[in-house]
Amino acid sequence: MRPLRQVGSSSLCVVAILVERQHACPFENVREAALATIWYESDAFNAYRGEDWMPDLCRSCERKKVDFGGCRCQAMALAGDASATDPVCIRSPLRDRLTRDADKLSTTPAATLTYRGR
């Protein structure tokens, strides 16, 4: 795997590579297809359009038209499933765990940095 995608990839972020692998729908390359074609017709971008893919928690939420079900890359990275409720959503079953982990990390003393040449 390359550290960063090859030039021209239409993936939105580095974590999107995980979503791509889970669903076996690669992000197309803008060197090989027009961006408009990729945006409107590719499997990768259409996999999470609309509401059919959303879990019930998201589908019944009053914010679904605002946040579109949250970030699929965060869901993949933190929940292990791109179709899961975005873990940072206040309604997510994983939110409490993430909050506890963040609180724990924020109270951990920072390591002392040693600067070279000083």
Coordinates of all heavy atoms in Angstrom, one line a residue, residues 10 12-13 15 23-25 27-28 32 44 56-58 64 66 70 73-74 78 83 89 99 105 108 111 116:
S10 N -9.7 10.1 -6.5 CA -10.8 10.9 -6.1 C -11.2 10.6 -4.6 O -12.2 11.1 -4.2 CB -12.0 10.6 -7.0 OG -12.4 9.3 -7.0
L12 N -11.6 11.0 -0.7 CA -11.7 12.3 0.0 C -10.7 12.5 1.1 O -10.4 13.6 1.5 CB -13.1 12.4 0.6 CG -14.3 12.3 -0.5 CD1 -15.6 12.3 0.2 CD2 -14.2 13.5 -1.4
C13 N -10.3 11.4 1.7 CA -9.3 11.5 2.8 C -8.5 10.1 2.9 O -8.9 9.2 2.3 CB -10.0 11.8 4.1 SG -11.0 10.5 4.8
V15 N -8.4 8.0 5.3 CA -9.2 7.0 5.9 C -10.2 6.4 4.9 O -10.6 5.3 5.1 CB -9.9 7.5 7.2 CG1 -10.7 6.4 7.9 CG2 -8.9 8.0 8.2
H23 N -15.8 -2.2 1.0 CA -16.9 -2.3 0.1 C -16.4 -2.7 -1.3 O -17.2 -2.8 -2.2 CB -17.7 -1.1 0.0 CG -18.5 -0.8 1.3 ND1 -19.6 -1.5 1.6 CD2 -18.2 -0.1 2.4 CE1 -20.0 -1.2 2.8 NE2 -19.2 -0.3 3.3
A24 N -15.1 -2.9 -1.5 CA -14.6 -3.3 -2.8 C -15.1 -2.4 -3.9 O -15.5 -2.9 -5.0 CB -14.8 -4.7 -3.1
C25 N -15.2 -1.1 -3.6 CA -15.6 -0.1 -4.7 C -14.5 0.9 -4.7 O -14.6 1.9 -4.0 CB -17.0 0.4 -4.4 SG -17.3 1.2 -2.8
F27 N -12.1 4.0 -5.5 CA -12.2 5.4 -5.9 C -11.5 5.6 -7.3 O -10.4 5.2 -7.4 CB -11.6 6.4 -4.9 CG -12.3 6.5 -3.6 CD1 -11.9 5.8 -2.5 CD2 -13.5 7.2 -3.6 CE1 -12.6 5.8 -1.3 CE2 -14.2 7.3 -2.4 CZ -13.8 6.6 -1.3
E28 N -12.2 6.1 -8.2 CA -11.7 6.3 -9.5 C -10.6 7.4 -9.6 O -10.6 8.2 -8.7 CB -12.8 6.5 -10.5 CG -13.8 5.3 -10.6 CD -14.9 5.5 -11.6 OE1 -14.6 6.0 -12.7 OE2 -16.0 5.2 -11.3
E32 N -8.3 9.3 -15.4 CA -9.0 8.3 -16.2 C -10.5 8.6 -16.5 O -11.0 8.0 -17.4 CB -8.8 6.9 -15.6 CG -7.3 6.6 -15.4 CD -7.1 5.4 -14.5 OE1 -8.1 4.8 -14.1 OE2 -6.0 5.1 -14.2
A44 N -18.2 4.1 -5.6 CA -17.6 4.6 -4.3 C -18.4 5.8 -3.8 O -18.7 5.9 -2.6 CB -16.2 5.0 -4.5
D56 N -30.9 2.4 11.3 CA -32.1 3.0 11.8 C -32.0 4.2 12.7 O -32.7 5.2 12.6 CB -32.9 1.9 12.6 CG -33.5 0.8 11.7 OD1 -33.6 1.1 10.5 OD2 -33.7 -0.3 12.2
L57 N -30.9 4.2 13.5 CA -30.7 5.4 14.4 C -30.5 6.7 13.6 O -31.1 7.7 13.9 CB -29.4 5.1 15.2 CG -29.1 6.2 16.2 CD1 -30.2 6.3 17.3 CD2 -27.8 5.8 16.9
C58 N -29.8 6.6 12.5 CA -29.6 7.7 11.6 C -30.8 8.1 10.8 O -31.2 9.2 10.6 CB -28.4 7.5 10.6 SG -26.8 7.3 11.5
K64 N -30.7 14.1 9.9 CA -30.2 13.4 8.7 C -30.1 14.2 7.5 O -29.2 14.0 6.6 CB -31.0 12.1 8.5 CG -32.4 12.4 8.0 CD -33.2 11.2 7.8 CE -34.6 11.5 7.5 NZ -35.4 10.3 7.5
V66 N -29.2 17.3 7.5 CA -28.2 18.3 7.8 C -26.8 17.6 7.7 O -25.9 18.1 7.1 CB -28.4 18.9 9.2 CG1 -27.2 19.9 9.5 CG2 -29.7 19.6 9.3
G70 N -23.5 11.6 8.9 CA -22.1 11.7 9.5 C -21.0 11.3 8.5 O -21.2 11.0 7.4
C73 N -15.9 7.8 7.0 CA -14.5 7.5 7.3 C -14.3 7.4 8.8 O -13.6 6.5 9.2 CB -13.6 8.5 6.7 SG -13.7 8.5 4.9
Q74 N -14.9 8.3 9.5 CA -14.8 8.1 11.0 C -15.5 6.9 11.5 O -15.0 6.2 12.4 CB -15.5 9.3 11.7 CG -14.7 10.6 11.7 CD -15.4 11.7 12.4 OE1 -14.6 12.6 12.8 NE2 -16.7 11.8 12.6
L78 N -13.3 4.2 13.5 CA -13.5 4.1 14.9 C -14.5 2.9 15.3 O -14.4 2.4 16.4 CB -14.1 5.4 15.5 CG -13.2 6.6 15.4 CD1 -13.9 7.9 15.8 CD2 -11.9 6.4 16.2
S83 N -20.7 1.7 7.5 CA -22.2 1.9 7.5 C -22.7 2.2 9.0 O -23.9 2.4 9.1 CB -22.9 0.6 7.0 OG -22.5 0.4 5.7
C89 N -21.1 11.1 16.8 CA -22.5 11.6 16.9 C -23.0 11.4 18.3 O -22.7 10.4 18.9 CB -23.4 10.9 15.9 SG -25.2 11.3 16.2
T99 N -15.8 9.6 24.4 CA -15.7 10.7 25.3 C -14.8 10.3 26.5 O -13.9 11.1 26.9 CB -17.1 11.2 25.8 OG1 -17.9 11.6 24.7 CG2 -17.0 12.3 26.8
L105 N -7.2 10.7 27.8 CA -6.0 11.2 27.1 C -5.7 12.7 27.5 O -4.6 13.1 27.5 CB -6.2 11.0 25.6 CG -6.2 9.6 25.1 CD1 -6.6 9.5 23.7 CD2 -4.8 9.0 25.3
T108 N -3.8 12.9 30.8 CA -2.5 12.3 30.8 C -1.4 13.3 30.6 O -1.5 14.1 29.7 CB -2.4 11.2 29.7 OG1 -3.4 10.3 29.8 CG2 -1.0 10.5 29.7
A111 N 4.4 14.3 27.5 CA 5.8 13.9 27.6 C 6.7 15.2 27.5 O 6.3 16.2 26.8 CB 6.2 13.0 26.5
R116 N 16.6 19.5 20.0 CA 18.0 19.3 19.6 C 18.6 20.7 19.5 O 18.0 21.7 19.1 CB 18.0 18.7 18.2 CG 17.5 17.3 18.2 CD 17.6 16.7 16.8 NE 16.9 15.5 16.8 CZ 16.8 14.7 15.7 NH1 17.4 15.0 14.6 NH2 16.0 13.6 15.7

